Amino acid sequence: MTEAEAAALVGEEAEEGSTMIINMGPQHPSTHGVLRLMLELEGERVLRTKTIIGYLHTGMEKTGEDLTFLQGPTNVTRMDYAAPLFNELVFSLATEKLLGIDEDIPERAQWIRMLMCELNRMTSHLLFMATNGMDVGAVGMMIYGWREREEGLRLLEKITGLRMNHNFIRPGGVAADLPDGWRDDVLHLLDYLPDQLDEFDTLLTGQPIYRERLQGVGVITQQEAIALGATGPVLRSTGLARDLRKDEPYLRYDQVDFDVLVGTYGDSFDRYAIRLNEIRESMKIVRQILDRMPSGDYRIQDKKVTPPPRARIDESMEALIHHFKIFTEGFKVPAGEVYVPVESPRGELGCYLVSDGSSKPYRMHISGPSFRNLQTLPHMMRDGLIADGVMIISSVDPIMGEVDR
């Protein structure tokens, strides 16, 4: 719908002079980052919404064209900062495809990547649970959601060295092997979380006020969601079982068993319920990964792509030169273009890379799910209340670092 059509539609139903235009954001705490909404209101009712983005202006895609392929994950990991490992994964998969080594990545590296991404999916959805609770006034949920997420971040920190923006998944494999005791730490998290998720169910799912605030609010039809390019839980809430892990399997997702969760009504409650239960599905996948984690290399043994082991740098001049050249000049990638998508917690995250044969991408473009999902906001908010607007933004779960990249 064009601006003129939307204005004409509003004009039909509102008396002249009875509407008011207000700004919500870009500094409003419930807009989940630097998002601005222009709302046309009649009393408390939202007639028209315009989503205005661009306040974060990180310029990561352009920055990525001035960094080598080896440095790329350090840049992209900061886009969706709630799910950084997915950004690193999609960039690495695209680079490996251009290099022609995508079939040669060691099995252990593939399974480690899957483990890390599913743990990250859990922490991302736990963050949603916390902020979604806060947006509807359930302050206790904010505290509990943050507490459980912290358990997950502690584990990610032990494995990668950082709580967020890990730069752990890199072209050719992962930065380091799993540390001693990692299996016990993962099992501890898997044993700890189910009781907490049941507590969330008690606190929110069956809570009459919470249901009243979410059910039938922010409804979008399957036809609208597809037309607007919606993806992830927003699309699945309409009943369409679209999940790249099943539909276009990557890593080793075709070897693990899990369910794709869908909604019925396409409302805020469906989107909440899908994310809560996706945490349980991710836990199911992680248990299977624990049982099937193979031994072997954690990165490809290709000297053109992989730096030498740290210990060898002290012993060998050749290893020192090799290390220096890879980290200063990078590695050359054959000319070509490629698009690779993965299923992030917010939906289809795609990376389009063009190489001109040098060590830096000629063009990099990221297809961010938050960017596409924000297009659904005007449709969801129409005819709702301002207070519902806060709830609807929360149910889309946008990360603005990914939108304004």
Side-chain angles (χ1 to χ4, degrees), residues 16-27:
E16 195 174 342
S18 66
T19 67
M20 175 172 63
I21 293 178
I22 66 164
N23 279 313
M24 182 173 170
Q27 79 295 357

Side-chain angles (χ1 to χ4, degrees), residues 50-323:
K50 188 174 180 183
T51 312
I52 302 171
I53 61 173
Y55 288 91
L56 209 52
H57 50 75
T58 52
M60 285 171 179
E61 289 170 333
K62 207 66 196 162
T63 303
E65 293 163 16
D66 202 42
L67 297 171
T68 66
F69 285 94
L70 189 68
Q71 294 167 324
T74 318
N75 174 44
V76 297
T77 190
R78 289 165 168 76
M79 290 185 312
D80 180 350
Y81 37 78
L85 286 157
F86 292 88
N87 304 327
E88 299 166 21
L89 175 67
V90 77
F91 180 86
S92 298
L93 290 177
T95 303
E96 287 158 8
K97 205 158 190 180
L98 282 172
L99 284 165
I101 60 170
D102 49 319
E103 300 294 328
D104 305 325
I105 306 302
E107 280 298 298
R108 184 171 176 84
Q110 302 276 23
W111 287 85
I112 290 174
R113 286 175 169 187
M114 258 171 71
L115 171 71
M116 300 305 292
C117 284
E118 291 310 312
L119 290 172
N120 199 185
R121 193 184 307 277
M122 288 155 59
T123 61
S124 176
H125 283 339
L126 285 167
L127 177 65
F128 162 79
M129 299 299 296
T131 54
N132 186 258
M134 177 65 103
D135 284 334
V136 82
V139 182
M141 187 61 236
M142 178 73 176
I143 297 164
Y144 302 144
W146 211 262
R147 181 185 67 191
E148 315 323 345
R149 174 176 180 257
E150 201 59 37
E151 291 293 320
L153 291 188
R154 207 167 283 137
L155 176 56
L156 292 178
E157 184 179 14
K158 185 166 185 180
I159 295 171
T160 70
L162 291 163
R163 287 161 47 85
M164 296 165 70
N165 305 336
H166 310 276
N167 190 23
F168 184 72
I169 298 175
R170 301 178 184 180
V174 291
D177 206 353
L178 296 167
D180 293 341
W182 70 272
R183 192 178 293 270
D184 293 337
D185 292 330
V186 173
L187 281 169
H188 167 73
L189 184 67
L190 295 181
D191 292 340
Y192 166 77
L193 269 181
D195 288 344
Q196 315 308 316
L197 296 179
D198 291 344
E199 195 175 81
F200 297 172
D201 262 331
T202 306
L203 195 64
L204 297 182
T205 311
Q207 221 275 356
I209 299 174
Y210 188 73
R211 293 184 80 103
E212 194 74 27
R213 285 295 311 273
L214 271 73
Q215 287 180 326
V217 171
V219 176
I220 188 168
T221 66
Q222 192 174 114
Q223 192 179 0
E224 285 173 337
I226 293 169
L228 290 164
T231 180
V234 177
L235 179 60
R236 290 195 287 274
S237 70
T238 65
L240 185 65
R242 169 74 172 159
D243 189 314
L244 290 169
R245 293 173 296 172
K246 286 274 193 194
D247 299 343
E248 300 172 29
Y250 53 96
L251 299 180
R252 295 295 176 263
Y253 279 110
D254 53 348
Q255 297 179 31
V256 293
D257 177 50
F258 65 97
D259 296 319
V260 177
L261 302 162
V262 296
T264 309
Y265 304 102
D267 62 5
S268 296
F269 189 82
D270 275 349
R271 294 188 280 277
Y272 150 77
I274 285 170
R275 291 191 182 96
L276 174 62
N277 289 294
E278 276 187 0
I279 300 173
R280 295 184 169 113
E281 290 304 312
S282 288
M283 289 165 66
K284 193 198 294 185
I285 294 171
V286 170
R287 284 197 186 275
Q288 293 172 71
I289 293 171
L290 286 179
D291 294 337
R292 303 185 58 179
M293 179 67 75
S295 56
D297 287 329
Y298 59 88
R299 61 186 180 192
I300 193 170
Q301 294 306 309
D302 180 341
K303 288 189 168 62
K304 289 180 182 173
V305 179
T306 310
R310 289 275 170 184
R312 289 214 57 232
I313 295 170
D314 298 333
E315 303 163 358
S316 159
M317 176 56 76
E318 287 76 15
L320 180 63
I321 294 167
H322 178 204
H323 178 274

Side-chain angles (χ1 to χ4, degrees), residues 1-10 38 40 48-51 378:
M1 190 183 293
T2 64
E3 283 288 301
E5 287 168 343
L9 194 63
V10 170
M38 274 179 67
E40 184 165 0
R48 194 156 54 120
T49 306
K50 188 174 180 183
T51 312

